[in-house]
Amino acid sequence: DAKTTQPPSMDCAEGRAANLPCNHSTISGNEYVYWYRQIHSQGPQYIIHGLKNNETNEMASLIITEDRKSSTLILPHATLRDTAVYYCIVRVGATGNQFYFGTGTSLTVIP
Amino acid sequence: NAGVTQTPKFQVLKTGQSMTLQCAQDMNHNSMYWYRQDPGMGLRLIYYSASEGTTDKGEVPNGYNVSRLNKREFSLRLESAAPSQTSVYFCASPGQGYNEQFFGPGTRLTVL
């Protein structure tokens, strides 16, 4: 599975959009991009995933570049409860067993 | 429907002691996973089980054994605990299509 690179930390003002970048320049054609977050010391929580098209759900939007070498997770209206560590993961979809979490981006939402 | 449950929530061991961490899921999933998370680090896969009766090594299996006795339960055993095994242990089970993993609340283990 491809490795990912994320900034170690970011701040975002409450109510503004939080844009979290991720580089995955060695991603293979059959590897999906997944985003999880971990609030405080709880177990990680699934947010969204995609292959090459942009995706949106009730939590966030995922923008994947055309060459698939990078992606951005967008939280459209960040709240204080979105303060967490966000992990970008790439892996083979339904057949891939392992998630490699890396160290993620610590997002702090500021009042 | 509790999802994924883990016991105990906290444990302190002395070096050389043994213990078993328990994990159960009530979602009828085939696969289950054990991860560890050290301070300031991401999660690392210890062992996983793709189905009842099968187990495979992950990224950091040394010092651990696992047992998948039935579809619901997946246990992690430390035969001789070492301070390097001080960590938070998470059990997880992926949903249909393996896209979303459901995590338990974690077990915080300290080895003195």
Side-chain angles (χ1 to χ4, degrees):
Chain A
D1 289 335
K3 296 281 192 236
T4 62
T5 304
Q6 299 177 253
S9 63
M10 292 180 63
D11 293 337
C12 177
E14 187 178 17
R16 304 297 292 269
N19 298 292
L20 291 89
C22 179
N23 285 322
H24 31 79
S25 58
T26 59
I27 192 170
S28 300
N30 62 346
E31 288 184 311
Y32 287 69
V33 179
Y34 292 79
W35 283 85
Y36 277 73
R37 73 180 183 184
Q38 187 174 26
I39 296 173
H40 195 43
S41 52
Q42 299 174 21
Q45 174 191 24
Y46 166 84
I47 301 173
I48 199 167
H49 77 281
L51 182 62
K52 53 184 175 182
N53 296 323
N54 298 337
E55 302 286 345
T56 296
N57 63 21
E58 65 278 5
M59 288 182 69
S61 294
L62 173 60
I63 309 298
I64 302 173
T65 58
E66 193 168 341
D67 63 7
R68 301 206 328 118
K69 293 184 185 300
S70 65
S71 60
T72 301
L73 178 75
I74 301 172
L75 307 178
H77 305 287
T79 71
L80 299 180
R81 286 180 293 182
D82 292 323
T83 293
V85 177
Y86 287 77
Y87 297 100
C88 169
I89 303 157
V90 293
R91 55 155 245 178
V92 175
T95 59
N97 280 310
Q98 300 201 23
F99 281 89
Y100 291 96
F101 276 81
T103 53
T105 295
S106 179
L107 174 70
T108 301
V109 179
I110 302 169
Chain B
N1 187 339
V4 180
T5 57
Q6 292 182 236
T7 56
K9 285 188 169 54
F10 301 93
Q11 184 72 50
V12 179
L13 294 176
K14 294 180 180 178
T15 297
Q17 286 185 316
S18 63
M19 79 161 293
T20 300
L21 283 66
Q22 304 286 355
C23 174
Q25 52 97 3
D26 61 4
M27 299 174 285
N28 201 35
H29 292 165
N30 288 320
S31 293
M32 297 182 74
Y33 297 74
W34 275 107
Y35 293 88
R36 62 176 286 175
Q37 185 173 32
D38 300 328
M41 304 288 288
L43 281 74
R44 292 184 293 169
L45 184 66
I46 305 172
Y47 269 94
Y48 66 95
S49 169
S51 62
E52 181 181 344
T54 68
T55 61
D56 285 287
K57 295 179 180 179
E59 190 181 353
V60 288
N62 292 344
Y64 305 95
N65 287 305
V66 290
S67 179
R68 183 82 183 273
L69 294 176
N70 54 58
K71 196 171 187 179
R72 284 191 69 248
E73 298 169 310
F74 188 35
S75 61
L76 179 72
R77 182 160 178 84
L78 288 71
E79 290 291 351
S80 179
S84 61
Q85 294 177 304
T86 293
S87 190
V88 180
Y89 292 84
F90 289 101
C91 178
S93 183
Q96 200 73 342
Y98 290 80
N99 287 322
E100 179 175 0
Q101 288 208 16
F102 297 89
F103 283 82
T107 294
R108 282 142 188 83
L109 175 67
T110 301
V111 183
L112 302 175

